[in-house]
């Protein structure tokens, strides 16, 4: 019996939880070319400024930088091209409704390998105001102090 590996996280968008209240998450596959998947496996991907856009019933990952594959030749890919996300129709309908709402963004949270395939976790988030960000930092610092106090 073959033991299944745990998720292999290749990239995370750490700024997402600081800038957004994440309401829902969805797992999607990414349609990548051969040189793109090799770069993703080498962890040459940046999610920081990325977002998801819904066009004509399909979801596309925009503004995510996947570096060119170092051993690629003339068939190398464009680092900032839009990539199609593979989702179920019901999930696409939910995301399309969320995209229409004001103040809601669909953002990539992390990219990982699952059974050899590249998957992306996308979140539906509402933007935080500056005072919300300060409150989050304050709570995190208080929790850190409590853990430090009780650990001694």
């Amino acid at each position: 019996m073959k033991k299944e590996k745990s998720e292999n996280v290749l990239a995370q968008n750490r700024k997402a939880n600081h800038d957004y209240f994440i309401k829902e998450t969805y797992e999607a596959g990414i349609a990548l070319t051969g040189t793109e998947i090799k770069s993703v496996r080498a962890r040459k991907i940046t999610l920081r400024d990325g977002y998801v856009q819904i066009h004509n019933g399909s979801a596309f990952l925009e503004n995510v930088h996947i570096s060119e594959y170092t051993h690629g030749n003339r068939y190398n890919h464009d680092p900032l091209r839009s990539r199609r996300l593979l989702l179920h129709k019901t999930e696409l309908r939910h995301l399309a409704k969320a995209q229409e709402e004001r103040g809601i963004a669909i953002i990539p949270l992390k990219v990982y390998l699952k059974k050899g395939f590249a998957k992306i976790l996308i979140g539906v988030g509402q933007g935080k105001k500056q005072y919300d960000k300060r409150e989050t930092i304050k709570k995190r610092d208080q929790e850190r102090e409590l853990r430090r106090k009780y650990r001694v």
Side-chain angles (χ1 to χ4, degrees), residues 27-124:
E27 181 184 68
I30 315 171
L32 298 172
T33 63
T35 55
E36 283 177 328
I37 189 63
K38 289 183 177 197
S39 290
V40 168
R41 287 177 190 268
R43 291 178 162 82
K44 303 287 186 189
I45 181 170
T46 306
L47 298 175
R48 181 171 291 150
D49 298 325
Y51 60 94
V52 176
Q53 197 74 34
I54 310 291
H55 293 294
N56 300 330
S58 294
F60 292 94
L61 186 62
E62 305 283 343
N63 209 22
V64 170
H65 189 276
I66 298 177
S67 298
E68 288 186 354
Y69 185 56
T70 55
H71 301 298
N73 50 18
R74 65 180 183 206
Y75 300 111
N76 233 331
H77 62 276
D78 176 28
L80 284 174
R81 78 174 185 94
S82 61
R83 294 159 182 93
R84 188 161 183 255
L85 296 181
L86 310 172
L87 290 157
H88 292 283
K89 285 184 181 181
T90 54
E91 293 173 336
L92 282 169
R93 277 190 232 115
H94 288 286
L95 290 173
K97 285 181 185 177
Q99 184 180 0
E100 292 171 3
E101 292 181 35
R102 190 166 187 266
I104 301 292
I106 307 169
I107 51 174
L109 300 176
K110 67 180 176 178
V111 174
Y112 52 93
L113 292 177
K114 188 173 182 182
K115 296 183 181 176
F117 293 101
K119 301 287 184 179
I120 187 164
L121 187 69
I122 56 176
V124 178

Side-chain angles (χ1 to χ4, degrees), residues 12-22 47-48 107-110 125-126 128:
Q12 271 189 315
N13 187 355
R14 296 182 182 180
K15 198 82 168 150
N17 285 322
H18 183 262
D19 292 340
Y20 298 95
F21 292 114
I22 305 299
L47 298 175
R48 181 171 291 150
I107 51 174
L109 300 176
K110 67 180 176 178
Q126 184 172 10
K128 286 184 180 179

